[in-house]
Amino acid sequence: MYDPDALPTSLSRPLDELPWQSSTEKFKMTSVGDSMRIALEFDISEAEAIAALKFNQARLLRKARRVWVSGAFLVLSLAVWGAFGYLAADSLFSVDSSTAQAIVGLFVLAAVLMSASQLQLHAALFGYLAGKDGALRGTRTLSMDDGGVRVVGAHAQSFFPWQGIRSVEGFAGQTLLYVDQASFIQIPHRVFADEAERTFCLDWITARIAQEGVAEFALPTLATQAASAAEIPVVDPIKDLLATLRLGAQGALFLKLDVTALPATWSQLAALLVLGLSLPLGADLISVGWNGSFSPYGLPGALFPVPILMLAAWALARLAEKAERTLDLLVVFFSLSLPIDLASILFGQLMESGLLPNVPGQLRYLAYYAPTLWLVLATTLVAIRVLDLPAHRWLAAGLAASVLLGAPLSLVYRERTLWQPAVDPEAQAEQRNRYHALTSEDAFYLQPKLLDRQLAALQLGRKGRVDLYFVGAAGDAGQDVFMKEVQSVAGLFEERFGTAGRSLTLINNARTVADSPIASNTSLRLAFKRVGEVMDSDEDILFLFLTSHGSQDHRFSLSFSPMQFNPLDPRRLREMLDDAGIKRRVIVVSSCYSGGYVEALENENSLVITAAASDKASFGCSNEAEFTYFGKAYFDEALRQTYSFIGAFELAKPRIAERERAQDYEPSGARMSVGAAIRPVLESFAAARSAAPVPDQRDLERARAAKAPPP
């Protein structure tokens, strides 16, 4: 009931002394007995009408079901446009990289322009609805009494009883009285002379609606609403973005967050997506500098979390039976992923710069998975709080986040390089030539001749003497270290172990396709067969050196793109050696997980050495290196001090471990198996080599000339 004593002081003065009397808007209150009548007269501008329309649209979208589907289709369409541009540039046209990037850019620009045209059409529609002849703007009078609200405009008048007012919502200097889900009565706050007038009037309106008891939900007092969420600007994207980022930081730090005022719109989501792309791009710019170029090949990796986060938000919202909160949850997920991603990038930059030299190797390894674990925990906690999940569903939420977020982000390697060093035309041409080195016509017809020439040049074993035959294979063409290692070891064996004329190298590398036969299962089988024919199986020894990458299922990589070679496994290697009739064997396999070869190859006439255990990686593979860690310690250091293949392993093993400790790598666990029958043979051979004279350099030159490629 109206109480004159509750009126603000300003309303107790005579009407002609009130400050609002000097403006064009009017605010009048009169009381008759126990009743009160309020009259408001004001003019709604076009800007105020457009602001109300935008607020109403955002409100309806928050209430609508499955509205996120349209946004998902928008993101998907942009991705399809970008992918189509990339495929068009890469497959449909024969263009260089700069032209390809331009084509991709044009397709992306076309998609952006289409989106911009839709936004412009949207804005034009709002402008039309709020135009001069529209029903939303212009001068109007609101009369409110115990019966209801009467609105008199330039073209029509309407009456709404208090029972017809469904809700009251405030924003950015206006209050809207909703008569249904979409229609509203607009009251600009500037009609009031001061805060006291506004608070009194809006509280009175709220009280009248609550008194009828027909509102769809509980209404807070508008005095409280005006002091908090009612004054959050709607048309201020910068403030909205900052508020979203603040919520994301709170979520990433596992703090409580208030999402009641969250600007959960697709515009905010798009802004967060752009920020997410800017993080790896900024890191690349810092590393490379401005003298670089955009790399579209990193976009799939950079955008990979987008559908993953969308799926997780949808699933968790469905779990809580609150599908309408999917967009709210998704915006918070994107926002909290930014500080996690930033921390991960900063840690990586510090590691690369050497500012964290004492970080243990296992910690570096775990650091790769730490951001994903952090994201899973943060999203789970945010989902529980935002969706108000009951305790019996917390475990299900954690499992859903682990499966939908943790598994794909941990298992899928994501190349996110968006800015790369400027392409050197000469380096690009060299890379192209390397890729097509083996498929050129000259190499295609030359390779069989190279293999036949080296096989034919192998000399027969000498009766009564133990001759050593060397076969070296560099399996992977992607890194030069394997080629360099085989070439260096072959030279070492000719000089120290007398393998000149009994040495064969098989190399997968673009630089040697005109000089050396390639390494494949076929070339290895032919090499073993020829060695078995020329050697004395009861006296001579084969030293086989294999160096390449290896897999956890113990497959030795034989790779030379774009050719497709079958991988080499322990069983197949054993079959090749057995079929060739080679009895005495020294086999050294330098690759990750090479310990899996020991059990398959060991026997009483074999010495088997591997660079790693069956479940461990080995290290030192790079284009710049001359040797791997194992190759450096065993061949370049130990075998230059001793002629014993067994003793060299004992010398090399601690040196390998020392290098691995210096880099904080997990020990590779190099292995050795010595057959009982071959041990005395190798000891006698080492003693004989120790007493042998230094080979004549001219003999070495003649042996190498015999293996030279045909003219």
Side-chain angles (χ1 to χ4, degrees):
M1 200 66 64
Y2 165 61
D3 181 6
D5 296 333
L7 285 174
T9 305
S10 60
L11 298 184
S12 302
R13 292 179 289 166
L15 293 181
D16 56 356
E17 296 181 9
L18 291 176
W20 42 260
Q21 284 294 324
S22 60
S23 64
T24 56
E25 285 79 29
K26 294 182 174 63
F27 172 83
K28 295 181 180 179
M29 287 196 311
T30 57
S31 60
V32 180
D34 292 337
S35 299
M36 175 178 285
R37 177 182 177 86
I38 295 179
L40 304 174
E41 184 178 341
F42 49 85
D43 182 77
I44 296 178
S45 67
E46 183 176 347
E48 288 174 327
I50 292 176
L53 286 172
K54 289 184 177 180
F55 173 82
N56 190 50
Q57 182 194 42
R59 175 180 176 275
L60 290 175
L61 287 176
R62 286 195 298 269
K63 293 178 176 293
R65 288 180 172 270
R66 295 187 174 89
V67 68
W68 57 271
V69 175
S70 61
F73 277 119
L74 175 61
V75 174
L76 182 61
S77 65
L78 290 174
V80 170
W81 272 95
F84 181 70
Y86 166 73
L87 292 175
D90 189 59
S91 304
L92 302 181
F93 308 110
S94 299
V95 296
D96 56 25
S97 60
S98 60
T99 307
Q101 291 180 14
I103 293 175
V104 173
L106 288 175
F107 274 95
V108 173
L109 179 61
V112 172
L113 290 176
M114 289 180 61
S115 302
S117 67
Q118 292 296 317
L119 293 176
Q120 178 59 33
L121 180 62
H122 196 249
L125 180 61
F126 277 166
Y128 172 76
L129 293 174
K132 271 190 175 181
D133 297 329
L136 294 178
R137 61 162 299 180
T139 302
R140 63 198 59 209
T141 300
L142 262 67
S143 300
M144 295 177 286
D145 53 25
D146 289 346
V149 180
R150 182 178 301 278
V151 183
V152 180
H155 305 290
Q157 58 178 312
S158 303
F159 177 77
F160 304 96
W162 292 117
Q163 295 91 333
I165 308 298
R166 313 307 301 172
S167 66
V168 181
E169 300 194 29
F171 78 99
Q174 298 190 58
T175 293
L176 304 183
L177 310 181
Y178 276 91
V179 298
D180 56 34
Q181 291 294 345
S183 303
F184 53 83
I185 303 168
Q186 193 172 354
I187 303 175
H189 293 172
R190 57 180 170 77
V191 72
F192 305 106
D194 53 30
E195 182 70 17
E197 287 182 1
R198 180 174 70 87
T199 301
F200 180 87
C201 180
L202 298 183
D203 279 351
W204 183 80
I205 293 173
T206 305
R208 293 298 303 142
I209 298 173
Q211 184 177 343
E212 299 296 333
V214 296
E216 292 181 352
F217 48 86
L219 297 170
T221 64
L222 286 180
T224 304
Q225 189 182 41
S228 56
E231 294 302 324
I232 296 179
V234 173
V235 192
D236 193 342
I238 302 300
K239 263 192 171 181
D240 287 351
L241 181 59
L242 292 177
T244 305
L245 293 175
R246 183 172 61 252
L247 287 174
Q250 293 171 345
L253 295 175
F254 306 106
L255 302 175
K256 291 184 178 181
L257 60 161
D258 178 17
V259 295
T260 56
L262 174 68
T265 65
W266 288 103
S267 297
Q268 287 295 310
L269 189 63
L272 293 172
L273 179 59
V274 172
L275 284 177
L277 289 175
S278 68
L279 291 179
L281 179 60
D284 293 339
L285 280 170
I286 294 173
S287 299
V288 175
W290 290 106
N291 187 24
S293 61
F294 177 72
S295 174
Y297 304 103
L299 281 174
L303 293 173
F304 180 73
V306 175
I308 302 300
L309 287 170
M310 293 179 70
L311 181 61
W314 170 82
L316 290 168
R318 295 289 294 181
L319 177 66
E321 299 180 354
K322 296 180 180 179
E324 70 277 2
R325 302 299 304 275
T326 301
L327 182 58
D328 292 341
L329 203 59
L330 183 58
V331 168
V332 181
F333 281 4
F334 266 90
S335 184
L336 69 84
S337 70
L338 294 180
I340 296 175
D341 199 19
L342 179 60
S344 176
I345 290 174
L346 290 176
F347 182 82
Q349 292 289 324
L350 291 174
M351 292 287 292
E352 291 182 7
S353 64
L355 296 177
L356 299 175
N358 297 321
V359 178
Q362 291 187 351
L363 181 58
R364 295 187 186 190
Y365 181 76
L366 292 175
Y368 175 79
Y369 298 99
T372 300
L373 177 61
W374 185 2
L375 181 65
V376 169
L377 293 176
T379 52
T380 302
L381 186 59
V382 163
I384 290 173
R385 289 172 171 172
V386 171
L387 302 174
D388 196 21
L389 276 173
H392 68 274
R393 292 192 177 180
W394 290 2
L395 179 60
L399 291 175
S402 300
V403 172
L404 299 177
L405 284 176
L409 292 178
S410 298
L411 300 177
V412 177
Y413 171 74
R414 294 177 289 140
E415 171 58 53
R416 301 198 302 168
T417 302
L418 298 176
W419 188 262
Q420 61 185 6
V423 178
D424 183 358
E426 294 183 2
Q428 191 177 39
E430 180 183 355
Q431 184 178 8
R432 185 162 50 250
N433 292 336
R434 284 175 63 95
Y435 183 78
H436 295 290
L438 191 57
T439 59
S440 66
E441 182 179 359
D442 293 341
F444 184 79
Y445 286 102
L446 179 60
Q447 273 295 314
K449 296 179 182 179
L450 290 175
L451 181 59
D452 291 342
R453 187 177 180 86
Q454 286 211 25
L455 296 178
L458 291 175
Q459 299 175 7
L460 291 171
R462 293 166 291 185
K463 199 66 176 176
R465 293 186 57 177
V466 177
D467 288 315
L468 184 69
Y469 285 81
F470 175 83
V471 175
D476 198 298
Q479 290 182 312
D480 292 343
V481 64
F482 306 120
M483 170 195 67
K484 297 174 185 177
E485 200 166 47
V486 163
Q487 290 175 335
S488 297
V489 173
L492 171 68
F493 270 62
E494 289 180 356
E495 295 172 4
R496 287 182 58 82
F497 296 96
T499 60
R502 297 177 180 84
S503 178
L504 174 66
T505 57
L506 307 173
I507 300 175
N508 289 338
N509 195 280
R511 299 180 182 180
T512 61
V513 291
D515 305 315
S516 177
I518 59 176
S520 66
N521 278 275
T522 302
S523 62
L524 280 169
R525 186 181 295 277
L526 292 174
F528 296 152
K529 180 181 178 183
R530 179 57 179 166
V531 171
E533 292 171 350
V534 298
M535 76 185 306
D536 187 328
S537 61
D538 294 325
E539 293 181 343
D540 298 337
I541 305 168
L542 168 67
F543 191 105
L544 173 63
F545 174 47
L546 303 174
T547 178
S548 183
H549 293 298
S551 63
Q552 290 180 310
D553 57 355
H554 310 131
R555 295 194 171 197
F556 181 84
S557 174
L558 295 171
S559 173
F560 200 156
S561 296
M563 302 296 288
Q564 296 293 320
F565 294 155
N566 295 324
L568 179 65
D569 57 52
R571 179 190 59 80
R572 182 172 297 182
L573 179 58
R574 172 111 188 208
E575 289 177 355
M576 290 181 183
L577 294 170
D578 290 344
D579 292 344
I582 300 174
K583 179 181 178 182
R584 294 174 172 175
R585 313 163 183 172
V586 178
I587 305 170
V588 177
V589 183
S590 177
S591 70
C592 294
Y593 314 106
S594 51
Y597 281 75
V598 174
E599 287 76 9
L601 299 176
E602 62 183 354
N603 60 43
E604 62 179 8
N605 288 301
S606 296
L607 167 64
V608 183
I609 297 174
T610 63
S614 60
D615 59 345
K616 303 293 184 181
S618 58
F619 307 99
C621 303
S622 70
N623 280 326
E624 297 76 20
E626 298 292 327
F627 288 91
T628 61
Y629 284 7
F630 173 84
K632 180 69 175 176
Y634 184 76
F635 292 107
D636 195 43
E637 295 175 353
L639 278 181
R640 293 190 185 277
Q641 302 175 28
T642 179
Y643 290 96
S644 171
F645 300 135
I646 300 172
F649 180 81
E650 301 299 340
L651 290 173
K653 192 170 183 179
R655 297 178 182 180
I656 298 169
E658 183 180 353
R659 288 193 176 97
E660 291 170 344
R661 281 195 301 271
Q663 296 296 324
D664 290 326
Y665 292 149
E666 185 178 1
S668 55
R671 294 189 58 188
M672 179 174 67
S673 172
V674 186
I678 201 172
R679 182 185 290 273
V681 174
L682 295 179
E683 291 174 352
S684 298
F685 177 77
R689 291 310 304 171
S690 298
V694 177
D696 192 312
Q697 192 65 28
R698 288 173 297 181
D699 293 336
L700 295 177
E701 294 297 333
R702 282 194 294 270
R704 290 166 183 163
K707 297 190 298 181

